[in-house]
Amino acid sequence: MSWVTAVVLALLVASGVMVFVRLARGPSMLDRAVAVDALLAVVVAGLGARTAEARTPYTLPVLLVLAFLGFTGSVAIARFIAVRGTPEPPPPAGPAGPAESRDHDEGAGP
């Protein structure tokens, strides 16, 4: 293993530890979601570095699947948080509609 590979792997381990600390501490669900996505990116980068160092293409399908899962997981979490944050719509008015629209329509000319 060359010194470049050792430095890259050491930096990936350090970033993985920092991301894992963010995952454990939170404080919000969005922080944890971003930490999971970043941890998956660190794992993909580590596998890519290992693949480049060993010069074997056998882990490329694994890298593609992990990248796809990371993307779809991030999109699913973002949609869940977006739906969760929207307020409830007001209940519908009676069959005639709201009072403001009835008053406004009565005074309208031809």
Side-chain angles (χ1 to χ4, degrees), residues 32-59:
R32 288 187 174 99
V34 170
V36 166
D37 192 36
L39 189 60
L40 191 60
V42 169
V43 168
V44 167
L47 279 172
R50 167 71 173 98
T51 300
E53 191 262 330
R55 290 187 161 92
T56 57
Y58 303 119
T59 56

Side-chain angles (χ1 to χ4, degrees), residues 19-71:
V19 167
F20 192 75
V21 167
R22 173 51 59 197
L23 178 66
R25 291 186 67 198
S28 70
M29 184 176 159
L30 188 58
D31 288 332
R32 288 187 174 99
V34 170
V36 166
D37 192 36
L39 189 60
L40 191 60
V42 169
V43 168
V44 167
L47 279 172
R50 167 71 173 98
T51 300
E53 191 262 330
R55 290 187 161 92
T56 57
Y58 303 119
T59 56
L60 284 177
V62 175
L63 291 173
L64 288 172
V65 168
L66 284 176
F68 178 71
L69 287 176
F71 172 74

